[in-house]
mmCIF file of all heavy atoms in Angstrom:
data_model
loop_
_atom_site.group_PDB
_atom_site.id
_atom_site.type_symbol
_atom_site.label_atom_id
_atom_site.label_comp_id
_atom_site.label_asym_id
_atom_site.label_seq_id
_atom_site.Cartn_x
_atom_site.Cartn_y
_atom_site.Cartn_z
ATOM 1 N N PRO B 79 24.572 81.848 -161.159
ATOM 2 C CA PRO B 79 26.024 82.012 -161.326
ATOM 3 C C PRO B 79 26.712 80.834 -161.987
ATOM 4 O O PRO B 79 27.710 81.017 -162.684
ATOM 5 C CB PRO B 79 26.534 82.210 -159.894
ATOM 6 C CG PRO B 79 25.441 81.731 -159.010
ATOM 7 C CD PRO B 79 24.166 81.853 -159.752
ATOM 8 N N SER B 80 26.182 79.619 -161.808
ATOM 9 C CA SER B 80 26.829 78.440 -162.366
ATOM 10 C C SER B 80 25.754 77.428 -162.760
ATOM 11 O O SER B 80 25.083 76.858 -161.897
ATOM 12 C CB SER B 80 27.794 77.830 -161.349
ATOM 13 O OG SER B 80 28.395 76.660 -161.877
ATOM 14 N N VAL B 81 25.625 77.201 -164.041
ATOM 15 C CA VAL B 81 24.545 76.358 -164.546
ATOM 16 C C VAL B 81 24.932 74.882 -164.473
ATOM 17 O O VAL B 81 26.078 74.500 -164.743
ATOM 18 C CB VAL B 81 24.221 76.763 -166.002
ATOM 19 C CG1 VAL B 81 23.327 75.734 -166.661
ATOM 20 C CG2 VAL B 81 23.546 78.116 -166.031
ATOM 21 N N HIS B 82 23.949 74.063 -164.129
ATOM 22 C CA HIS B 82 24.112 72.612 -164.068
ATOM 23 C C HIS B 82 23.330 71.991 -165.210
ATOM 24 O O HIS B 82 22.335 72.565 -165.680
ATOM 25 C CB HIS B 82 23.614 72.117 -162.698
ATOM 26 C CG HIS B 82 23.877 70.671 -162.438
ATOM 27 N ND1 HIS B 82 22.921 69.695 -162.623
ATOM 28 C CD2 HIS B 82 24.992 70.035 -162.006
ATOM 29 C CE1 HIS B 82 23.440 68.522 -162.307
ATOM 30 N NE2 HIS B 82 24.691 68.699 -161.933
ATOM 31 N N TRP B 83 23.725 70.804 -165.641
ATOM 32 C CA TRP B 83 23.041 70.153 -166.755
ATOM 33 C C TRP B 83 21.549 69.975 -166.471
ATOM 34 O O TRP B 83 20.717 70.030 -167.384
ATOM 35 C CB TRP B 83 23.674 68.805 -167.094
ATOM 36 C CG TRP B 83 23.561 67.776 -166.009
ATOM 37 C CD1 TRP B 83 24.470 67.505 -165.043
ATOM 38 C CD2 TRP B 83 22.458 66.909 -165.750
ATOM 39 N NE1 TRP B 83 24.016 66.534 -164.204
ATOM 40 C CE2 TRP B 83 22.784 66.137 -164.620
ATOM 41 C CE3 TRP B 83 21.219 66.700 -166.369
ATOM 42 C CZ2 TRP B 83 21.928 65.179 -164.102
ATOM 43 C CZ3 TRP B 83 20.360 65.745 -165.853
ATOM 44 C CH2 TRP B 83 20.724 64.995 -164.726
ATOM 45 N N SER B 84 21.205 69.797 -165.203
ATOM 46 C CA SER B 84 19.802 69.589 -164.842
ATOM 47 C C SER B 84 18.959 70.864 -164.979
ATOM 48 O O SER B 84 17.736 70.814 -164.833
ATOM 49 C CB SER B 84 19.698 69.070 -163.408
ATOM 50 O OG SER B 84 20.260 69.994 -162.499
ATOM 51 N N ASP B 85 19.608 71.998 -165.238
ATOM 52 C CA ASP B 85 18.862 73.249 -165.430
ATOM 53 C C ASP B 85 18.272 73.360 -166.831
ATOM 54 O O ASP B 85 17.499 74.291 -167.103
ATOM 55 C CB ASP B 85 19.767 74.456 -165.164
ATOM 56 C CG ASP B 85 20.178 74.570 -163.708
ATOM 57 O OD1 ASP B 85 19.353 74.241 -162.830
ATOM 58 O OD2 ASP B 85 21.336 74.976 -163.454
ATOM 59 N N ALA B 86 18.629 72.462 -167.716
ATOM 60 C CA ALA B 86 18.067 72.491 -169.063
ATOM 61 C C ALA B 86 16.557 72.326 -168.981
ATOM 62 O O ALA B 86 16.050 71.329 -168.454
ATOM 63 C CB ALA B 86 18.673 71.381 -169.907
ATOM 64 N N ALA B 87 15.829 73.312 -169.491
ATOM 65 C CA ALA B 87 14.368 73.338 -169.343
ATOM 66 C C ALA B 87 13.857 74.561 -170.092
ATOM 67 O O ALA B 87 14.620 75.293 -170.716
ATOM 68 C CB ALA B 87 13.973 73.420 -167.869
ATOM 69 N N GLU B 88 12.560 74.773 -169.996
ATOM 70 C CA GLU B 88 11.974 75.995 -170.538
ATOM 71 C C GLU B 88 11.596 76.899 -169.372
ATOM 72 O O GLU B 88 11.041 76.447 -168.365
ATOM 73 C CB GLU B 88 10.749 75.681 -171.396
ATOM 74 C CG GLU B 88 10.254 76.881 -172.181
ATOM 75 C CD GLU B 88 9.379 76.525 -173.367
ATOM 76 O OE1 GLU B 88 8.864 75.391 -173.412
ATOM 77 O OE2 GLU B 88 9.210 77.394 -174.260
ATOM 78 N N TYR B 89 11.883 78.169 -169.534
ATOM 79 C CA TYR B 89 11.681 79.142 -168.457
ATOM 80 C C TYR B 89 10.671 80.187 -168.903
ATOM 81 O O TYR B 89 10.763 80.736 -170.002
ATOM 82 C CB TYR B 89 13.006 79.802 -168.086
ATOM 83 C CG TYR B 89 13.961 78.835 -167.427
ATOM 84 C CD1 TYR B 89 14.709 77.942 -168.186
ATOM 85 C CD2 TYR B 89 14.095 78.792 -166.049
ATOM 86 C CE1 TYR B 89 15.572 77.030 -167.590
ATOM 87 C CE2 TYR B 89 14.955 77.891 -165.437
ATOM 88 C CZ TYR B 89 15.682 77.020 -166.217
ATOM 89 O OH TYR B 89 16.533 76.119 -165.614
ATOM 90 N N PHE B 90 9.727 80.448 -168.012
ATOM 91 C CA PHE B 90 8.667 81.397 -168.317
ATOM 92 C C PHE B 90 8.656 82.517 -167.283
ATOM 93 O O PHE B 90 8.665 82.266 -166.080
ATOM 94 C CB PHE B 90 7.300 80.721 -168.301
ATOM 95 C CG PHE B 90 7.092 79.723 -169.400
ATOM 96 C CD1 PHE B 90 7.312 78.377 -169.192
ATOM 97 C CD2 PHE B 90 6.668 80.139 -170.657
ATOM 98 C CE1 PHE B 90 7.123 77.450 -170.195
ATOM 99 C CE2 PHE B 90 6.474 79.224 -171.683
ATOM 100 C CZ PHE B 90 6.700 77.886 -171.442
#
Side-chain angles (χ1 to χ4, degrees):
Chain B
S80 178
V81 168
H82 187 262
W83 65 266
S84 60
D85 293 324
E88 190 160 18
Y89 292 80
F90 293 96

